[in-house]
Amino acid sequence: KNEVEQSPQNLTAQEGEFITINCSYSVGISALHWLQQHPGGGIVSLFMLSSGKKKHGRLIATINIQEKHSSLHITASHPRDSAVYICAVINRDDKIIFGKGTRLHILP
Amino acid sequence: DAGVTQSPTHLIKTRGQQVTLRCSPKSGHDTVSWYQQALGQGPQFIFQYYEEEERQRGNFPDRFSGHQFPNYSSELNVNALLLGDSALYLCASSPAREGRPNEQFFGPGTRLTVL
């Protein structure tokens, strides 16, 4: 079993829909990243969080340390949000463990 | 601030050859990490350099080696290339802060194809 599991693996939605991507992990962590990767490979860090909730524009990330679960939400989704979203945790040894990513496709 | 830069962008090699990939960290960052991302997979940690030394290493064979220079830039070397080494190689930099998790900033990656 992977230490970081994401769901769904693939998600197709209509423009304007509310999107939720989930991440569950099985190791002790000091922080969790949500990353965005566009075709071509470049990765952008969206959030790093250790507790609670963070918001940036239409993006919201939450984490529940007790349940070892995090969610990434996108409100009013847009085709330019189409990308792979990757959850990555920093474990107690300061190593980053990545999920396999969720491929999001927003249809106009 | 140019952010994290990597070179080259793309590279094609044949089996058995050697390759060197380069990374310049974001200004103010002194820690560089390298990752391998196979098609359709999440990145896998190769190793991390700090103060010109390899500080941590993932499950990669000795064919994968690295170096960090006094200006904090870094190289990833892969010897005796295999077809399975074809991947996107990502470099990420972060500032070294004791006792705190560090946000990593990623470069655009180098896409290596081994024929």
Side-chain angles (χ1 to χ4, degrees):
Chain A
K1 188 178 187 298
N2 293 329
E3 292 169 300
V4 180
E5 295 274 3
Q6 287 185 237
S7 63
Q9 285 184 296
N10 295 283
L11 179 58
T12 299
Q14 290 293 139
E15 183 174 356
E17 286 189 36
F18 181 80
I19 303 298
T20 295
I21 300 171
N22 295 300
C23 175
S24 296
Y25 52 91
S26 57
V27 296
I29 70 168
S30 57
L32 180 145
H33 282 275
W34 279 103
L35 309 167
Q36 181 191 56
Q37 186 172 32
H38 280 285
I43 290 182
V44 174
S45 177
L46 299 174
F47 297 103
M48 186 178 79
L49 63 167
S50 305
S51 63
K53 175 180 173 178
K54 285 191 176 180
K55 184 177 189 293
H56 184 239
R58 296 182 293 108
L59 301 177
I60 303 165
T62 63
I63 188 168
N64 185 318
I65 296 293
Q66 287 72 33
E67 294 186 3
K68 295 188 174 179
H69 181 269
S70 175
S71 293
L72 176 69
H73 305 286
I74 305 175
T75 61
S77 60
H78 190 277
R80 64 175 175 266
D81 297 326
S82 298
V84 176
Y85 292 84
I86 301 172
C87 170
V89 302
I90 304 173
N91 71 6
R92 300 294 187 195
D93 295 326
D94 211 30
K95 286 186 179 175
I96 288 191
I97 306 168
F98 293 84
K100 291 187 176 181
T102 294
R103 189 172 300 277
L104 175 65
H105 188 202
I106 303 298
L107 301 172
Chain B
D1 181 8
V4 180
T5 60
Q6 291 186 244
S7 64
T9 306
H10 295 85
L11 201 51
I12 298 175
K13 292 283 188 178
T14 56
R15 277 181 299 175
Q17 284 190 310
Q18 179 265 342
V19 69
T20 297
L21 310 181
R22 295 178 177 82
C23 171
S24 291
K26 183 176 167 66
S27 177
H29 289 185
D30 51 14
T31 302
V32 173
S33 302
W34 286 93
Y35 301 90
Q36 180 196 65
Q37 187 179 24
L39 200 61
Q41 301 293 316
Q44 298 288 319
F45 174 71
I46 303 175
F47 42 53
Q48 183 182 81
Y49 276 84
Y50 171 67
E51 292 189 342
E52 301 180 49
E53 290 192 359
E54 185 183 287
R55 184 161 74 172
Q56 294 188 62
R57 188 179 182 92
N59 295 324
F60 279 79
D62 292 344
R63 297 187 297 111
F64 289 77
S65 63
H67 189 77
Q68 185 177 36
F69 298 93
N71 67 353
Y72 308 122
S73 67
S74 177
E75 288 182 349
L76 164 65
N77 301 292
V78 187
N79 294 321
L81 284 167
L82 304 173
L83 295 179
D85 295 332
S86 295
L88 180 70
Y89 288 85
L90 294 159
C91 167
S93 73
S94 58
R97 295 192 196 118
E98 288 297 325
R100 289 177 55 188
N102 291 313
E103 184 171 10
Q104 296 208 348
F105 291 78
F106 287 83
T110 293
R111 186 163 296 282
L112 172 65
T113 302
V114 181
L115 302 176

